[in-house]
Amino acid sequence: GQQLNQSPQSMFIQEGEDVSMNCTSSSIFNTWLWYKQDPGEGPVLLIALYKAGELTSNGRLTAQFGITRKDSFLNISASIPSDVGIYFCAGHNQGGKLIFGQGTELSVKP
Amino acid sequence: KAGVTQTPRYLIKTRGQQVTLSCSPISGHRSVSWYQQTPGQGLQFLFEYFSETQRNKGNFPGRFSGRQFSNSRSEMNVSTLELGDSALYLCASRWGSYGNTEAFFGQGTRLTVV
């Protein structure tokens, strides 16, 4: 089935560092969503992107909808310990089905 | 407005038993999707219901089934439980089934099969 390739799979960074992760697909997506999941909890929606080229910020988070509509990235600036968790990208394909990436596990060392 | 509510939060069952999980979507949302999450496997799509009809189905055996009621609440049933069914089961609600509508997740039900 259709897949989203999310990278990296895991990251270990120092508090204060910036973080970047991305998702790519061989197919066009109509929207991109970024979620964060804390251990034992459900994913929480961070940012939603609706148009190619769109750049959206939410506090220290910035995400962009790639111009080809086949990719998206999420940046976190000046990371803090509570940024720890798993980040998922998701996108609506041409048929409206929501597809998820495999997740990026972020660890932040104080 | 209340978020997505899943019950119960935790469940322990024995192999061979069956289990029913419940999901109440955000008020006004008519689509409910179910996902299975196990360590290292990400979010595996089970099925999606919209207006009491199953719209999409993932690649899970027939032991996994679901339904949606007229008030959009959904239940998921797993029969003849296996050890490998131990997972976090998540449901997500969205306003529509097609198109670019955002999905919101519940806190999940942690199922342990012993």
Side-chain angles (χ1 to χ4, degrees):
Chain A
Q2 194 169 23
Q3 288 185 325
L4 286 179
N5 300 310
Q6 186 171 350
S7 65
Q9 282 190 313
S10 60
M11 302 181 76
F12 297 86
I13 62 168
Q14 197 79 29
E15 182 177 359
E17 288 184 354
D18 296 343
V19 172
S20 185
M21 58 191 79
N22 69 83
C23 270
T24 60
S25 173
S26 57
S27 307
I28 288 173
F29 279 76
N30 293 328
T31 58
W32 287 94
L33 308 174
W34 284 94
Y35 292 84
K36 183 196 176 202
Q37 184 178 28
D38 291 326
E41 301 291 328
V44 173
L45 183 64
L46 299 173
I47 291 179
L49 303 158
Y50 298 100
K51 292 192 296 190
E54 180 180 355
L55 183 71
T56 297
S57 293
N58 178 6
R60 295 178 296 105
L61 277 59
T62 302
Q64 183 159 33
F65 193 144
I67 200 75
T68 64
R69 295 171 66 190
K70 294 182 179 181
D71 64 326
S72 176
F73 72 74
L74 174 71
N75 288 341
I76 305 173
S77 63
S79 58
I80 59 177
S82 62
D83 290 334
V84 164
I86 302 177
Y87 291 80
F88 289 99
C89 64
H92 288 100
N93 64 8
Q94 300 283 68
K97 190 174 178 182
L98 188 59
I99 312 291
F100 281 87
Q102 291 296 94
T104 295
E105 186 167 6
L106 178 64
S107 300
V108 180
K109 187 177 177 183
Chain B
K1 137 166 124 168
V4 180
T5 304
Q6 288 188 249
T7 57
R9 283 294 309 273
Y10 303 94
L11 208 48
I12 299 176
K13 289 285 189 178
T14 306
R15 264 185 309 175
Q17 285 187 313
Q18 72 155 11
V19 67
T20 299
L21 312 182
S22 178
C23 174
S24 293
I26 291 171
S27 177
H29 284 194
R30 294 163 65 190
S31 166
V32 174
S33 297
W34 289 89
Y35 297 85
Q36 181 195 65
Q37 187 178 34
T38 52
Q41 290 297 314
L43 290 160
Q44 303 293 313
F45 173 74
L46 281 154
F47 27 65
E48 178 183 13
Y49 285 87
F50 179 81
S51 292
E52 302 177 67
T53 302
Q54 189 178 86
R55 283 291 175 92
N56 286 299
K57 192 175 188 304
N59 296 323
F60 277 81
R63 300 185 297 108
F64 292 81
S65 63
R67 60 178 176 168
Q68 188 179 34
F69 302 95
S70 58
N71 63 357
S72 294
R73 189 178 71 85
S74 177
E75 287 183 347
M76 191 193 95
N77 185 275
V78 188
S79 62
T80 319
L81 284 165
E82 300 176 359
L83 294 179
D85 297 332
S86 295
L88 181 67
Y89 289 88
L90 294 160
C91 85
S93 82
R94 49 180 179 149
W95 178 78
S97 176
Y98 296 108
N100 308 325
T101 55
E102 297 162 12
F104 297 89
F105 283 87
Q107 291 182 295
T109 293
R110 170 73 63 187
L111 172 64
T112 302
V113 182
V114 297

